[in-house]
């Protein structure tokens, strides 16, 4: 199911306003602080590669990481600054460098797994042009802005509605099989009782250069669920493209998995 969505802008300078960025000189690392991921690329815009890395504190008996912090070492001056993340605890933190604004300067994409049952993520995008960190994307603000309704219908169908952008999709449930359908439908396809599904918080954010022009869009995934969280029905897929000072949804799809056989 595919629909080209109209672009939009939330109130304020950015569609997804992030928390205030805190820049400081990093404190000395403790015995438990580790470098979690690192990349090299020009993020300050002076043509000299910079070192970008994440640190955090991890206990020996747990994969859970706390105090995850972004650091940038300027390749020309060798000075290092750090940015405190709005959500700084979780699992498997990673970073990528990619140009999302189209200015040919690398931006910083950070993704942290929450570890919760919904498999959602914390994700942030920063510009570091001229050594000034600016938040371009915040997953918490994104989740607040994007609202959905999921409703089971007669005839073995589900209607999934997006409010930003405004679009409606119909999901055929017959691929779920007889056992699943017989629990909630009569033999004639009537619902036995009203059922509402849900859409989880952001569960994936991937930079993809759809136009092959050197500027990455962001593919944002949110899982559609049915009667309970493990009852997956598909995903909302929003393509986010930078537009001067904000991300707009340039396209939206609903993705469903095929049946076996």
């Amino acid at each position: 199911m595919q629909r080209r969505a109209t672009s939009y802008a939330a109130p304020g300078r950015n569609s997804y306003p992030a928390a205030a960025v805190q820049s400081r000189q990093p404190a000395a690392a403790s015995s438990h602080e580790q470098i979690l991921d690192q990349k090299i690329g020009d993020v300050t815009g002076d043509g000299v590669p910079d070192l970008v890395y994440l640190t955090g504190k991890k206990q020996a008996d747990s994969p859970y990481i706390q105090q995850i912090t972004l650091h940038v070492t300027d390749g020309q001056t060798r000075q290092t600054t750090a940015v405190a993340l709005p959500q700084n605890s979780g699992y498997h933190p990673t970073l990528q460098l990619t140009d999302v604004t189209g200015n040919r300067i690398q931006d910083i994409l950070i993704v942290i797994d929450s570890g919760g049952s919904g498999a959602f993520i914390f994700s942030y995008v920063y510009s570091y042009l001229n050594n000034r960190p600016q938040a371009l994307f915040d997953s918490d603000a994104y989740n607040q802005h994007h609202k959905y309704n999921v409703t089971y219908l007669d005839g073995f169908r589900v209607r999934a509605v997006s409010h930003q952008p405004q679009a409606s999709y119909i999901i055929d449930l017959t691929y779920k099989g007889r056992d699943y359908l017989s629990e909630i439908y009569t033999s004639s396809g009537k619902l036995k009782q009203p059922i509402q599904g849900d859409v989880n918080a952001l569960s994936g954010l991937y930079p993809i250069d759809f136009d092959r022009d050197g500027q990455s869009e962001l593919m944002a995934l949110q899982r559609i669920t049915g009667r309970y969280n493990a009852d997956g029905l598909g995903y909302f897929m929003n393509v986010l493209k930078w537009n001067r000072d904000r991300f707009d949804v340039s396209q939206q799809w609903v993705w469903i998995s095929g049946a076996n056989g």
Side-chain angles (χ1 to χ4, degrees):
M1 304 177 187
Q2 179 177 346
R3 178 187 179 99
R4 187 169 185 86
T6 57
S7 60
Y8 70 98
R13 171 174 167 75
N14 294 321
S15 292
Y16 319 119
V21 176
Q22 301 176 22
S23 181
R24 58 176 173 78
Q25 291 297 324
S30 72
S31 59
H32 295 293
E33 192 172 53
Q34 303 177 15
I35 295 177
L36 308 170
D37 197 6
Q38 60 181 347
K39 297 291 187 292
I40 294 177
D42 178 22
V43 297
T44 60
D46 60 4
V48 179
D50 308 300
L51 175 63
V52 184
Y53 60 101
L54 297 174
T55 63
K57 292 185 177 181
K58 180 179 177 182
Q59 300 297 324
D61 59 349
S62 172
Y64 188 69
I65 303 172
Q66 297 177 301
Q67 297 182 31
I68 301 169
T69 305
L70 168 66
H71 304 263
V72 174
T73 299
D74 188 297
Q76 187 171 59
T77 66
R78 306 302 186 192
Q79 292 184 342
T80 300
T81 56
V83 175
L85 304 179
Q87 293 285 349
N88 65 353
S89 298
Y91 300 85
H92 189 49
T94 59
L95 62 83
Q96 297 182 67
L97 303 184
T98 185
D99 175 19
V100 300
T101 64
N103 64 358
R104 300 299 185 259
I105 307 300
Q106 300 293 287
D107 302 299
I108 304 168
L109 167 62
I110 300 168
V111 176
I112 305 169
D113 294 335
S114 69
S117 60
F120 63 90
I121 62 172
F122 307 121
S123 187
Y124 310 100
V125 178
Y126 291 96
S127 165
Y128 225 83
L129 186 63
N130 298 322
N131 279 296
R132 297 179 60 185
Q134 178 186 0
L136 306 180
F137 178 90
D138 180 313
S139 55
D140 289 340
Y142 175 89
N143 291 330
Q144 289 296 318
H145 191 71
H146 287 269
K147 301 298 182 182
Y148 306 90
N149 293 110
V150 178
T151 306
Y152 280 68
L153 306 175
D154 291 337
F156 313 112
R157 300 176 302 158
V158 164
R159 177 187 292 117
V161 176
S162 163
H163 297 289
Q164 284 289 355
Q166 294 184 349
S168 179
Y169 304 85
I170 299 297
I171 300 174
D172 186 337
L173 294 177
T174 54
Y175 77 96
K176 285 282 194 176
R178 182 177 301 175
D179 291 343
Y180 179 94
L181 297 176
S182 64
E183 293 179 1
I184 55 180
Y185 286 100
T186 66
S187 58
S188 63
K190 294 289 186 181
L191 275 171
K192 295 179 180 180
Q193 62 183 15
I195 300 175
Q196 295 291 321
D198 201 2
V199 176
N200 289 352
L202 189 68
S203 58
L205 190 68
Y206 306 95
I208 304 174
D209 184 1
F210 285 98
D211 300 324
R212 305 188 308 279
D213 58 359
Q215 177 182 354
S216 293
E217 291 77 30
L218 298 177
M219 172 68 81
L221 302 185
Q222 291 176 269
R223 188 166 179 263
I224 305 169
T225 60
R227 295 174 296 165
Y228 42 84
N229 192 60
D231 182 17
L233 303 180
Y235 285 85
F236 271 101
M237 306 171 64
N238 289 329
V239 178
L240 310 179
K241 188 175 182 63
W242 187 254
N243 181 17
R244 294 188 179 181
D245 61 354
R246 66 186 185 272
F247 282 103
D248 290 339
V249 176
S250 63
Q251 296 187 74
Q252 183 184 78
W253 301 281
V254 163
W255 157 35
I256 63 172
S257 299
N260 295 328

